[in-house]
Amino acid sequence: MSPGEKLTFVTSNRHKAREIKALFRSQNVKLNIHFAKTMEIQSENLAEIALFSSIDAYNYLRRPVFVEDAGLFVEELNGFPGPYSSYVYSTLGLDGLLRLVGKNRKAVFKSVVCVYGLVDRPLLFTGNVSGVIAPKPRGKHGFGYDPIFIPSGSGKTLAEMSVAEKNRFSHRGRAVRKLLRWLYKDRRKI
Ligand code: IMP
């Protein structure tokens, strides 16, 4: 990317926008944010969902874009709700999911970032964070499953963390840091 040219993050989620903006700002990188809902295909594969959604965003905006797709994979539930996290959140809610989880409380939050229109191929960056499902919701920050997810290495749920602290632990923080590294380090070596 030439200096001064900005990537556009396309999302309908203001929390994701805040988190990703903070990550870019911490590296002194400017970012455009475009609030819009992109097409979300039905798939068990987060990367496939992110890829189609980035193509949709690019077709609409016609400039280098990226999108992010995430899901919570609970071990005892064989990875459920995974790619269906959004639907499960709006139907069962946190309490509904908590009722399904028994003794084994291990879970992984996964994030996939897909950049489209920047180079001659889509770029995918992934970030995972392992953790456990809390016994009951705690904290008032963030969104979605934040109040019930405790990342490994912390005693707090993601909802008990500031944006900067969540970014240090989170799946999204990990995926976006890989994107930033690619943009401003690895790419120069190609
Ligand atoms: P999306 O498809 O990437 O928007 O994410 C699917 C669902 O997963 C969202 O509706 C949220 O409920 C949940 N989710 C995704 N990322 C996070 C996060 O960082 N914290 C908590 N919940 C999340």
Side-chain angles (χ1 to χ4, degrees):
M1 210 162 34
S2 60
E5 191 185 349
K6 286 189 252 170
L7 264 182
T8 300
F9 174 51
V10 183
T11 185
S12 59
N13 183 323
R14 67 189 171 85
H15 299 278
K16 287 189 180 184
R18 234 178 124 203
E19 290 170 19
I20 291 181
K21 200 167 187 167
L23 285 157
F24 271 63
R25 201 185 302 120
S26 70
Q27 301 296 310
N28 269 324
V29 180
K30 291 213 167 100
L31 175 69
N32 280 320
I33 295 179
H34 183 86
F35 286 97
K37 216 169 164 47
T38 51
M39 178 183 65
E40 223 179 90
I41 60 156
Q42 276 265 345
S43 166
E44 307 227 329
N45 183 330
L46 288 185
E48 206 171 76
I49 299 172
L51 173 63
F52 277 87
S53 155
S54 71
I55 294 172
D56 189 38
Y58 177 79
N59 283 340
Y60 178 70
L61 291 174
R62 295 276 158 193
R63 54 180 135 108
V65 292
F66 74 97
V67 301
E68 189 261 2
D69 203 74
L72 178 65
F73 295 72
V74 179
E75 191 172 281
E76 195 179 66
L77 307 176
N78 297 321
F80 181 84
Y84 310 107
S85 295
S86 172
Y87 183 65
V88 168
Y89 180 78
S90 58
T91 48
L92 298 181
L94 296 183
D95 290 338
L97 186 65
L98 283 175
R99 275 197 289 276
L100 296 176
V101 184
K103 254 206 195 105
N104 176 2
R105 308 196 71 84
K106 285 189 202 156
V108 183
F109 240 130
K110 298 185 185 181
S111 161
V112 179
V113 164
C114 187
V115 181
Y116 201 89
L118 183 61
V119 290
D120 59 354
R121 64 199 151 90
L123 300 168
L124 287 163
F125 301 91
T126 57
N128 293 351
V129 58
S130 303
V132 292
I133 302 296
K136 57 181 176 30
R138 282 190 344 235
K140 54 182 175 16
H141 303 295
F143 69 103
Y145 299 99
D146 280 347
I148 61 163
F149 185 78
I150 304 172
S152 301
S154 171
K156 293 183 191 174
T157 67
L158 291 175
E160 292 176 304
M161 298 181 181
S162 65
V163 168
E165 199 176 1
K166 177 178 173 184
N167 276 339
R168 276 203 293 281
F169 285 99
S170 78
H171 49 315
R172 184 165 303 108
R174 287 179 181 175
V176 172
R177 275 192 294 275
K178 285 187 192 168
L179 162 64
L180 284 164
R181 206 172 307 135
W182 189 89
L183 286 172
Y184 296 97
K185 230 165 142 194
D186 300 343
R187 194 181 176 194
R188 300 216 171 108
K189 293 185 204 139
I190 295 171

